[in-house]
Amino acid sequence: MGIVAIKDLRPTQCTHGAREIGRKAELYESLSGHSLDMAIAEKPVPVVLGPGKLPYAIDHHHVAAALHLVGIKSMPFVLAADLSSLSYQEFWLSMENQCWTHPYDTKGRRKSFAEMPTRIWKLEDDAFRSLAASVRDAGGYEKTTTPLAEFRWADFFRSLFAYPKSEQEYASVERQAIKLAKSSAAAGLPGFIERAAR
């Protein structure tokens, strides 16, 4: 495990959930000293080295963005792979084959890798990505090691709900989404919790 400057991390997705980042930032702001150090140490960012030895984050984008938001400059990382010897095109092809990237915007449209943001805190806010995290945290589905699981849930909710334009609309959609997550409509999604037969 090493330490990486958050400003040097390159994202591997186009969107994140601002609400989720805000919740994490509030947690970090409530901690200090050893407690804060331990909370940061619990979430090392997995990194793949790309062309030019640039560190690409393949998870914990929200953690890194939250730390940046509260003024923390660096965080621990674990090296998942060193692909720095590959060309730019080969690198992104390999990343996609490993399910280590999600090049889609807030409407689920495919973006080119050249359009990927270059800073971890500059991703586009996607309310459905925050919704996926909220539903998981409320017990709507289980946390899983399946790559990009939250994005699959976000796209599922995106296909069924209008984009919430206010906190009130978001809260209403959240209540509906928690129920929907445990229905047969969500069967097959990663972490789906099957209801026990009555």
Side-chain angles (χ1 to χ4, degrees):
M1 190 181 300
I3 299 293
V4 63
I6 294 172
K7 68 178 178 60
D8 293 336
L9 283 172
R10 295 295 184 266
T12 53
Q13 58 197 52
C14 297
T15 66
H16 62 196
R19 287 178 179 84
E20 185 179 359
I21 290 168
R23 287 194 294 268
K24 291 181 186 297
E26 286 178 6
L27 170 63
Y28 291 126
E29 282 189 316
S30 72
L31 303 173
S32 61
H34 180 69
S35 296
L36 177 60
D37 291 341
M38 291 301 293
I40 294 172
E42 284 176 1
K43 295 280 189 179
V45 58
V47 160
V48 173
L49 293 182
K53 292 282 186 182
L54 289 174
Y56 287 82
I58 58 171
D59 200 0
H60 296 334
H61 289 72
H62 293 83
V63 172
L67 291 173
H68 170 77
L69 190 61
V70 300
I72 293 169
K73 305 295 186 186
S74 61
M75 66 186 299
F77 80 93
V78 290
L79 185 63
D82 185 347
L83 304 181
S84 58
S85 64
L86 300 181
S87 69
Y88 182 82
Q89 291 81 6
E90 291 169 335
F91 169 72
W92 283 113
L93 179 61
S94 180
M95 293 287 281
E96 192 151 32
N97 287 342
Q98 295 287 340
C99 294
W100 283 343
T101 183
H102 189 76
Y104 295 87
D105 68 10
T106 58
K107 292 184 171 61
R109 297 174 301 200
R110 174 75 187 228
K111 308 294 281 186
S112 73
F113 291 116
E115 294 175 284
M116 194 80 70
T118 58
R119 292 290 182 266
I120 209 84
W121 58 87
K122 289 190 174 181
L123 280 64
E124 192 177 4
D125 177 34
D126 182 3
F128 287 111
R129 180 59 184 78
S130 286
L131 182 65
S134 297
V135 171
R136 182 197 63 218
D137 292 345
Y141 64 95
E142 294 177 341
K143 191 171 179 62
T144 171
T145 58
T146 303
L148 306 172
E150 288 85 0
F151 282 108
R152 289 180 60 186
W153 280 96
D155 288 338
F156 171 64
F157 296 135
R158 191 190 324 279
S159 70
L160 297 168
F161 297 111
Y163 198 91
K165 295 182 175 65
S166 67
E167 289 301 318
Q168 187 175 2
E169 286 184 14
Y170 181 86
S172 174
V173 169
E174 185 179 48
R175 289 191 294 271
Q176 296 174 68
I178 290 168
K179 293 178 183 176
L180 186 65
K182 294 186 177 181
S183 73
S184 59
L189 285 168
F192 174 72
I193 301 171
E194 189 170 359
R195 281 183 174 170
R198 292 183 178 179

